[in-house]
Amino acid sequence: MKPINPVEITPGSAESWVDVDVTAYVGADAGSVAGVMLQVRNTSTIEYQWGVRKNGSTDTPTAIIEDSGQTWVAIGVDSGDIFECYVGHLTNIDVFLVGYITTDSGAFFTNYSDVTPATGAWNDVDISALTGGDTAKVAFLLVYKNATSQGLPHWGLRENGSTDTLRIIGAGAGFNDLRGAMIGVDANEIFEAYLTYTDTKLYLVGYMKDNLTTFANRKNYATATTGSY
């Protein structure tokens, strides 16, 4: 991934899918960009819908970003460096471009693939059949809680073979909630996921294949102080 100084690229229309062209921000890599890394935030005390998809996709992954919440997400762009974005409010939902992924390092699908595993345990998710001749190192996902019938989810992701047991309850894929996620895969392109409810879905939108290293077990980089950078 190539990081850039964050730049706001929130579309100019709300409650519809709008093209967002990032050509102006990728310099000499224009036309060789596979996808973008975004920060999405809700500055309001009200929950609003949001969503992203590759330009030309028929996916409709819109759901809530919680009030005063934020998420990071990777999504593909077409050959013209365009993705599509949906925001439920022009003032309170902000979308920032924080980096991008070139075609030599990653790839994204026009339409996502549902890779949701069984529930109730850490289960393997094998993406090798979806990456073709590439060998993925990281999976980019949308985590989507598409209903309210089964309560707050308890979910987590880890690289295959990891001994981490980190899971989250509630916010971060709560009722009708959507957020981005990324996780390393092993040499066989497998990661593990823990889900408690069948209405929490994992959608594979793309992957990294080069120019990065992942850790099987997480490393703690929490700062010694809180409330400031």
Side-chain angles (χ1 to χ4, degrees), residues 77-95:
V77 299
D78 67 8
S79 59
D81 305 319
I82 296 170
F83 72 96
E84 298 178 43
C85 187
Y86 181 107
V87 295
H89 196 280
L90 288 180
T91 302
N92 295 322
I93 302 297
D94 299 323
V95 181

Side-chain angles (χ1 to χ4, degrees), residues 12-58:
S13 299
E15 298 186 321
S16 62
W17 287 101
V18 178
D19 288 357
V20 180
D21 188 340
V22 301
T23 303
Y25 310 110
V26 300
D29 290 319
S32 299
V33 176
V36 290
M37 292 291 298
L38 307 171
Q39 179 188 8
V40 183
R41 71 180 184 184
N42 181 358
T43 61
S44 172
T45 57
I46 300 172
E47 295 177 334
Y48 289 105
Q49 299 270 322
W50 76 284
V52 288
R53 65 187 185 188
K54 188 173 181 177
N55 193 32
S57 174
T58 57

Side-chain angles (χ1 to χ4, degrees), residues 155-215:
W155 69 281
L157 303 171
R158 68 186 185 188
E159 186 170 315
N160 192 35
S162 173
T163 56
D164 292 340
T165 57
L166 185 65
R167 301 195 294 269
I168 188 170
I169 300 175
F175 291 150
N176 198 34
D177 190 281
L178 176 70
R179 60 195 43 234
M182 60 183 292
I183 193 67
V185 299
D186 68 9
N188 294 313
E189 302 180 82
I190 296 170
F191 69 91
E192 300 175 37
Y194 187 105
L195 304 175
T196 49
Y197 295 120
T198 57
D199 65 3
T200 302
K201 303 298 183 181
L202 302 183
Y203 296 134
L204 181 71
V205 297
Y207 54 91
M208 288 283 287
K209 57 185 178 180
D210 203 359
N211 298 320
L212 83 164
T213 300
T214 62
F215 304 111

Side-chain angles (χ1 to χ4, degrees), residues 41-124:
R41 71 180 184 184
N42 181 358
T43 61
S44 172
T45 57
I46 300 172
E47 295 177 334
Y48 289 105
Q49 299 270 322
W50 76 284
V52 288
R53 65 187 185 188
K54 188 173 181 177
N55 193 32
S57 174
T58 57
D59 295 335
T60 56
T62 59
I64 285 169
I65 182 169
E66 71 269 15
D67 50 292
S68 302
Q70 64 177 328
T71 188
W72 280 259
V73 64
I75 199 68
V77 299
D78 67 8
S79 59
D81 305 319
I82 296 170
F83 72 96
E84 298 178 43
C85 187
Y86 181 107
V87 295
H89 196 280
L90 288 180
T91 302
N92 295 322
I93 302 297
D94 299 323
V95 181
F96 294 91
L97 177 68
V98 298
Y100 61 93
I101 298 150
T102 52
T103 53
D104 60 338
S105 297
F108 288 81
F109 308 108
T110 299
N111 291 299
Y112 57 57
S113 293
D114 188 342
V115 294
T116 309
T119 59
W122 287 101
N123 289 299
D124 288 356

